[in-house]
Amino acid sequence: MAELTGGRPGTITRPGGRAVRFFDTGGADTGGDTAAAADAPVIVWHHGTPQTGAVIPPVAEATATRGLRVVSVARPGSPGSDPLPGRTVADAAADVLAVLDGLGVDRFATLGASGGGPHALACAALAPNRVDAVVSFAGIAPYWGDVDWFAGMADPGGLRAALSGREARLAYAETAQFEPESFTERDYRTLEGAWAALGADAGAGGAAGPAGEVDDDRAFVSPWGVEPAAVAAPTLLVQGGRDRVIPATHAGWMLERLRRGELWLRPREGHVSVLTALGVALDWVVATSAR
C-alpha cells in the first residue's frame, strides 16, 4: 500500500511570504476503487508533535477503504512549512483553513492525534459552519495553570520549559532525549506493527530541527486563541487510560467544556496504541456527518 503514503504534496503562501506545506490524497494517484476521489468527503488530519504532516499508511488506508479524502497540513516549523515564532493554536488552524480554501473544500471533519488534537478543535471553533464532526485522539488540553496539568506525564520537561518562553524551550531541546517510560508495552507493540510508519515519520519530523516541536509546546501552554466551548460540532475524545504522555485528566477536562462532547475511554491503551481505534472513530465520523 506504499502508493497511499503521503498524498499529493503542495504548498501555499501565507501573508508575509510564509510557505505552508500540505498533503492531499484526493489528488494522489492511489489506483483503483480504494482511492479517495477528489469529490469524496474530506477528513482533515492534524499530525502529532513532531511529524512531517504526510498522510502515513494507517491513516491513508483506513480513510481510503471508507471512501474518504484526507488533507493534512504541516504546521509551521515542520518540514516544508516555514516557522511562525509565537504562533497560537488558532494561528496554525488558520493555515489549515487557508489550505482548504485553496483546494475548494467547504465542508469537512477534523481529526487530530496528540499535538494535533488542539488544532482539530481549533479548526472547528474557527469554522463552525463548515465542520461536521471532530475527533481528538489523546489530545492535550489548554494549560489550566495548575501543577495537576502535568500529573501523570512521564516526561513533562519540554512543556515545563515552554512555560518560560521560546528561548528556554529551545535550550531544553538541545539536550532533551526521549523518555522510554513515556510509552507502554502496548504502545511499543503498536509501533512495531501497523503503526510503524508513525515512528518513522516522527523521526523525520524531528530530524528537520526543533522549531516545530518547540512552537507546538509553546502554543499548548499559552492561550490557544480559541476556547473548546466554541466548538459547535459533535466532538469525540478518544483517550487511553494508561497514557503517560497526555494523561486522561486532559480528556476529562475538555469533556466538561465541550458543548457536544463524547468520551471514549479505552482503559488499557497508551498514547500510541489508542490510535488503533481510528477505524471505529472514522465510522463514528461518517455516521455523525450523515445526520
Side-chain angles (χ1 to χ4, degrees), residues 79-248:
S81 289
D82 292 334
L84 181 61
R87 63 175 163 91
T88 65
V89 171
D91 289 333
D95 283 350
V96 175
L97 294 174
V99 168
L100 295 174
D101 290 344
L103 294 173
V105 173
D106 182 23
R107 300 201 67 84
F108 56 93
T110 175
L111 287 71
S114 188
H119 297 90
L121 294 169
C123 266
L126 292 175
N129 297 323
R130 298 172 64 180
V131 176
D132 294 316
V134 186
V135 181
S136 174
F137 293 89
I140 194 168
Y143 179 64
W144 57 70
D146 190 283
V147 293
D148 287 347
W149 192 81
F150 298 100
M153 296 183 184
D155 184 19
L159 290 165
R160 290 188 183 277
L163 284 172
S164 297
R166 190 172 193 264
E167 293 305 314
R169 182 60 181 85
L170 283 167
Y172 179 87
E174 293 178 359
T175 58
Q177 296 183 342
F178 175 70
E179 170 52 65
E181 290 299 314
S182 296
F183 290 166
T184 67
E185 290 185 11
R186 281 187 183 231
D187 288 332
Y188 285 113
R189 288 200 301 269
T190 302
L191 286 170
E192 291 168 359
W195 286 82
L198 178 65
D201 190 71
E213 183 173 9
V214 165
D215 290 335
D216 266 4
D217 280 359
R218 276 292 297 156
F220 298 147
V221 300
S222 303
W224 284 10
V226 293
E227 297 292 337
V231 177
T235 303
L236 177 62
L237 307 173
V238 187
Q239 177 67 43
R242 297 181 180 174
D243 193 328
R244 301 171 186 167
V245 179
I246 306 299

Side-chain angles (χ1 to χ4, degrees), residues 45-53 75 78 112-117 198 201 216 220 271:
W45 180 259
H46 301 264
H47 63 82
T49 306
Q51 284 186 255
T52 68
R75 289 193 291 278
S78 300
S114 188
L198 178 65
D201 190 71
D216 266 4
F220 298 147
H271 192 66

